[in-house]
Amino acid sequence: MAGHVSHHSSSHAPASGPTESLAIRCLLIGLALVFVGLFLLLPLASVFGEAFGRGLKPYLDALRDPRTLASLRLTVLLAVIVVPLNTVFGVAAAWAITRFRFPGKPLLVTLIDLPFAISPVVVGVMLLVLFGAQGYFGPWLREHDFRIVFALPGMVLATLFVTIPFVARELIPLMQSRGPDLEEAALTLGASGWQTFWHVTLPGVRWAVLYGVILANARAMGEFGAVYVVSKPVPGEIPLALWVDTLNSEHQGTAAFAVASLLTFLAIATLVVKAWLESRQHREMARGQSSHTE
Amino acid sequence: MSIELRSVSKRFGDVAAVDQVSFSVADRELVALLGPSGGGKTTVLRMIAGLETPSAGDLFIGGRRVNEVPVQDRNIGFVFQNYALFPTMTVADNIAFGLKVRKWKPAESSARVEELLGVFGLEGLARRFPHQLSGGKRQRVAIARALAPRPQLLLLDEPFAAVDAKIRQELREWLVRLHNELHVTTLFVTHDQEEAMEVASRIVIFSRGRLEQIGSPREVYEQPVNEFVARFIGVLNVLEGPVQNTEARIGELVFPSHGVPDGGTLRIGFRPYAVQMSRNLGEFRYIATLRHTYFLGILLRVEIELDSGLVIKARITKEDYARLGLADGVRVSFQIREYRVLSSEAGPLTPEVQVPSQPHIAEGI
Amino acid sequence: MSSPRPRVLPGFRLTLGFTVFYLSLLLLIPLGALLLRSTQLGWAEFWHHVSSPRALAAYRLTFTASAIAGLINVVGGTLLAWVLTRYRFPGRRFLDALIDVPFALPTAVGGLALASVYSPTGWMGRWFAPGSPLGDLFGPDGLKLAYSRIGVVIALTFVSLPFVVRTVQPVLESLDRSIEEAAACLGAGRGRTFLTVILPALIPSILTGFTLAFARAVGEFGSIQFISSNVPFKTQIAPQLIIEKLDAYELEGAVAIAVFLLGVSFMILAAINLLEGWTRRFQS
């Protein structure tokens, strides 16, 4: 991390030039901190303040509650199903889009980004229209005693939908800028398609894949709206984010915040890994540039 | 406006980008700041403009100390290496920017813009955006913008670096013409000695933050104050060899010791034009083989190699080359008419040593 | 970008086939089903659901609160981008990482925490509670932050906070410093340079950031669930109205409003694409 900082400052070293007076700079930094404080820092601090406000015991009791543990298991299960599927999808989509030319490519790229633009609640409604009691497949599903919405498959589908873009979105611009030269070189050296992918493509983009994966994971574990629509608020059968809502509506403040603190730890871990990946990417880019000029 | 720097220094952290530099520029001069990259020349230009503040020393413009005068109030036209045109403004708005800031009346301002568009051959481009122009046109817009508010100084940072070789030649001539018409004191930064020699009436040479020499192109070429300047301006042959029995031997060449004690090393330098050649092997003291001929127009540069392997660069006119019947591979005799003794790289140079003609045969007697 | 090359690389059929299959199954079929269902409603019924007074009130709150949140983020986000790219100060990297909290933190947690901070007993809300000096300025009931429309704006500002920062930041970073120096040489002060030289170059990215923030806010539900009292005509936003319809087993009404929101999302998406094309124009 220190290397990153020194790299950054050295590239800007002689950039004195015109700047603002010290007072203006302090004022602007102060205002920025107030803004971040009001909207980000205070809420983060309040999660822990409320969670631990009545001491460690109520906090631990809330976490040891079997319903909380069941929610935790379900949350992890959702992520374990959803994230790998969307990772494979992201890699396949990026390969098709960046390595070949075909008609309709811009449309495909737009489609991949679409879930970011759609309200999660609308996503839930879509699934109800398909699989709900009044939905297209509702009667058939009931006949065969198979449940999709208000059960695990519906939550999986909802979470899959909202996390489709994450990995693809990181990979497409990166693989576009890297171009197909390395892969073509590997083929001319006799490598098979899979060998090329494993030994040439993947090592070059693995950090971007990981970046997409951790963001997809955070969203998968924290998704609220889409899952809310397709799940029943039965304790132990809903993910953590919805369990927070149930506890909150039952006025179990400390328990709600205790569960929320778990999700906050997840967010903090996500941000730490993200910052680490970014500094790593930054370094690799700087290295790439310096080897370029030599 | 005149400019004067009195032991001006600029430090970035621990690095002295400019170290105790003093020089002055008279009103209406056209001066080049020349040196290798990292030499401090751009920092000097930026301090004159007010874009950097000197860490020490005094800076005068028109006899007034301006260290504390902010860049906005110095009335300076600055042309950036990458032109720095405002991308969201048209050509006309770019040129008018300084006038608007100085609250010119709209009528006067647009008249001035029209005038400059005419002077710079930019008619019809007033409504274009910078990204719609070629590199050469962008540069003209940048200079027009800098000159619009009638600045007391025109400062240009590597003005010709970003254009290709052919346009560069035209731009050089154009800058000289422009300066002759406008009579505004002009400083430009360059790392290209040829450019500095051709355009400037005086050259300030920097290296590693220090001022090495200031003088006319002829002065810095013919009377360089040190080896750095001598090597940086034009081509210099540098030879060195051990001194024994008050003589220095460098390959077959013999020089007097010039005061260097026995066991020391003598370094000498000479320009290619100081080498005099003949096909008559008896005419001059030393014999060499012509290895390579470089055609540079009416002047040719040749490399001659002595039997010891020592290679010397010489210069000769096309006529003399033909008259002497030179060609790659022929044997020639030669002498070095004048040379200088070099001390350390930054140390001062001794006056030129004139070598009397030394026929080969005379030595044999 | 890449020149047309013969398809020497393998995997075209496999990867494109999988991509299209996956998107069809997960994205296009649900999307198509929703649209199909809405066409089966008939225009009159569709219009009846979409234009009911409650729906109109919900849209109005959703769009105005999203727009206000977007504007707050235009000011705050541009300020943050400026401070992060231009100044070096202790904690800068921490601040930079903090910006992404709304991306990483589940919106439910964000809503819960904001509701607690801005409730009348919370760290911020108590300053505006009834009886407090600041609250009394707003009348005997004080100023209600959480559980009011202000709370909706606060939550939407939170969820859309990173967008303006993250679109403006790279533009500001790559902005050529010498154009500011050129403005200074021509006599312009810092304020004028910012307004006439820097800001115009940032406008496309600020607008893009605003539109992305707006799009995100319009669809938001999770945090609102915690901070809004969900009172029709007062604090109910459009996604809450959809949920209410679903709870009342009015799938038709929910579908109609969902399709309306979807249409708005598509229009915003089109606007974003136009804006990004515009941004590229100045980056030659």
Side-chain angles (χ1 to χ4, degrees), chain B residues 271-292:
Chain B
R271 298 283 189 202
Y273 65 74
V275 178
Q276 199 176 3
M277 289 177 289
S278 170
R279 279 296 298 274
N280 177 357
L281 299 184
E283 187 164 355
F284 299 120
R285 180 172 176 180
Y286 303 118
I287 307 290
T289 307
L290 201 160
R291 284 294 177 217
H292 272 297

Side-chain angles (χ1 to χ4, degrees), chain A residues 13-18, chain B residues 10 12 46 51-52 71:
Chain A
S16 19
Chain B
K10 177 68 185 178
F12 293 113
R46 289 170 60 85
L51 293 170
E52 308 284 356
V71 50

